[in-house]
């Protein structure tokens, strides 16, 4: 296990941990620049982008698994109705998450995207409390309370609920929960999800967006290639993350994950010039405080478990 590697002091374990950190940084770094990538597809409708992303992901993720000789694993999963049902539910959630994500980027709401993925770990903690009946530590309870207050204050002072951030956080938290209780690997699970979505995506493109199959629909060849490349930018970070997850503890993965929304935030403010209002800054500050509390608490308990 990754945590066992990290706990041992052997040179081989140290090398594995170092490789895991590199893979995790690469994965979350790629996820962090996804808004910049999807900016290349300005003018292409979000529903069309998501439909093509599903189709092209089928090609690239399927090719990766085929090269690994894992097609029998896929067939085995498809023969298990319970697993297929769970993965269909997770597929619907990730498709909705992708659609909101792409739409928000097109509407210059990258700050809301960033906020959503900062909130996500706290929503996951809340799900653990409600669904799994897990007990919150006092620090976790305080962090969830701060995050809830931050959303309420943003709603009051900004004149509206930050529905983009909440939708992204909730959909991804539920997605993570379903994948947690579904005993399949990351890449295999994603491939099943996209092949379950593929008939809907293909039907949508053929019957509702056939113009997206013509070069005339795009602003140039580069945009066509960028749309095809959505399959690659879906598959590659997942593959990198899978390698990292095998080598690192969940605590370390949890700390590294904040790279992605941090990059979203920096791009939104310093590259695309999205206005950072005082209400937004206050919300982010409170969420950052909550995450710092949770991270320090997790790190402390992890060190205690290793010492014990």
């Amino acid at each position: 296990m990754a945590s066992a590697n990290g706990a041992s002091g052997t040179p081989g374990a140290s090398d594995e941990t170092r490789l895991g950190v590199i893979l995790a940084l690469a994965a979350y770094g790629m996820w962090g620049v996804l808004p910049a990538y999807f900016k290349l597809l300005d003018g292409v409708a979000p529903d069309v982008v998501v439909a093509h992303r599903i189709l092209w992901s089928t090609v690239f993720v399927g090719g990766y698994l085929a090269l690994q000789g894992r097609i029998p694993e896929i067939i085995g999963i498809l023969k298990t109705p319970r697993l297929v049902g769970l993965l269909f539910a997770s597929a619907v959630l990730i498709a909705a998450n992708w659609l909101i994500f792409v739409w928000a980027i097109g509407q210059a709401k990258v700050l809301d995207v960033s906020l959503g993925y900062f909130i996500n770990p706290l929503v996951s903690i809340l799900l653990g409390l409600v669904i799994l009946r897990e007990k919150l530590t006092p620090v976790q309870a305080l962090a969830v309370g701060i995050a809830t207050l931050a959303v309420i204050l943003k709603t009051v002072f900004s004149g509206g609920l930050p529905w983009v951030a909440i939708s992204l956080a909730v959909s991804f938290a539920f997605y993570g929960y379903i994948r947690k209780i579904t005993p399949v690997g990351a890449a295999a699970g994603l491939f099943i999800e996209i092949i379950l979505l593929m008939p809907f995506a293909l039907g949508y493109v053929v019957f509702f967006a056939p113009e997206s199959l013509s070069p005339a629909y795009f602003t140039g060849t580069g945009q066509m290639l960028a749309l095809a490349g959505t399959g690659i930018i879906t598959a590659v970070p997942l593959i990198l993350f899978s390698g990292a997850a095998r080598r690192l503890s969940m605590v370390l993965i949890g700390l590294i994950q904040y790279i992605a929304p941090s990059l979203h935030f920096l791009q939104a403010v310093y590259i695309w010039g999205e206005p950072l209002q005082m209400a937004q800054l206050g919300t982010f500050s409170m969420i950052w405080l909550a995450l710092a509390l949770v991270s320090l608490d997790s790190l402390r308990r992890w060190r205690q478990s290793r010492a014990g």
Side-chain angles (χ1 to χ4, degrees):
M1 297 295 290
S3 56
N5 287 342
S8 66
T10 63
S14 177
D15 291 342
E16 283 291 288
T17 300
R18 188 178 300 109
L19 176 59
V21 169
I22 292 171
L23 293 174
L25 290 173
Y28 283 107
M30 290 187 70
W31 280 324
V33 298
L34 275 185
Y37 186 91
F38 282 111
K39 287 283 186 181
L40 300 174
L41 294 168
D42 278 347
V44 181
D47 48 354
V48 173
V49 172
V50 172
H52 277 269
R53 183 178 186 180
I54 292 167
L55 296 176
W56 286 108
S57 294
T58 305
V59 175
F60 289 105
V61 179
Y64 167 72
L65 292 173
L67 288 174
Q68 285 198 318
R70 296 173 61 183
I71 298 304
E73 176 187 352
I74 301 300
I75 295 173
I77 295 171
L78 290 172
K79 289 180 178 179
T80 310
R82 178 179 176 275
L83 295 181
V84 172
L86 287 169
L87 289 170
F88 181 76
S90 63
V92 171
L93 286 168
I94 199 61
N97 183 274
W98 286 352
L99 185 60
I100 297 167
F101 182 90
V102 175
W103 178 87
I105 291 167
Q107 297 297 312
K109 294 181 179 290
V110 180
L111 275 175
D112 285 347
V113 170
S114 173
L115 180 62
Y117 286 108
F118 274 124
I119 292 175
N120 171 249
L122 301 171
V123 176
S124 295
I125 290 174
L126 195 57
L127 280 184
L129 172 67
V130 175
I131 297 178
L132 301 177
R133 303 298 181 185
E134 296 176 350
K135 292 184 179 180
L136 300 188
T137 67
V139 174
Q140 288 175 332
L142 176 61
V144 170
I146 292 173
T148 303
L149 179 61
V151 172
I152 292 173
L153 291 176
K154 187 177 189 304
T155 301
V156 171
F157 290 109
S158 297
L161 192 70
W163 73 267
V164 169
I166 292 175
S167 298
L168 288 172
V170 170
S171 62
F172 202 70
F174 272 100
Y175 173 78
Y177 165 71
I178 293 176
R179 290 304 304 271
K180 178 182 176 66
I181 64 173
T182 306
V184 299
L190 176 64
F191 185 61
I192 299 294
E193 288 168 348
I194 58 181
I195 63 175
L196 290 173
L197 292 171
M198 185 178 63
F200 300 99
L202 185 61
Y204 187 86
V205 169
V206 171
F207 294 107
F208 297 100
E211 66 278 4
S212 68
L213 299 173
S214 169
Y217 179 76
F218 303 96
T219 58
T221 304
Q223 199 172 58
M224 291 176 60
L225 293 174
L227 191 61
T230 55
I232 298 175
I233 57 99
T234 298
V236 172
L238 177 79
I239 294 165
L240 294 171
F241 175 78
S242 297
R246 290 195 300 270
R247 295 171 170 86
L248 301 178
S249 69
M250 290 304 296
V251 171
L252 193 50
I253 287 284
L255 294 173
I256 294 175
Q257 73 175 323
Y258 300 129
I259 288 174
S262 298
L263 289 174
H264 298 163
F265 179 88
L266 294 172
Q267 290 168 100
V269 174
Y270 296 107
I271 296 180
W272 299 307
E274 291 188 22
L276 182 61
Q277 301 168 348
M278 285 303 298
Q280 285 178 305
L281 182 58
T283 301
F284 272 103
S285 298
M286 293 177 72
I287 296 296
W288 290 333
L289 173 61
L291 291 174
L293 291 173
V294 168
S295 299
L296 291 173
D297 182 55
S298 298
L299 192 59
R300 176 185 60 81
R301 288 186 289 115
W302 176 65
R303 284 175 173 170
Q304 287 178 346
S305 67
R306 292 185 67 190

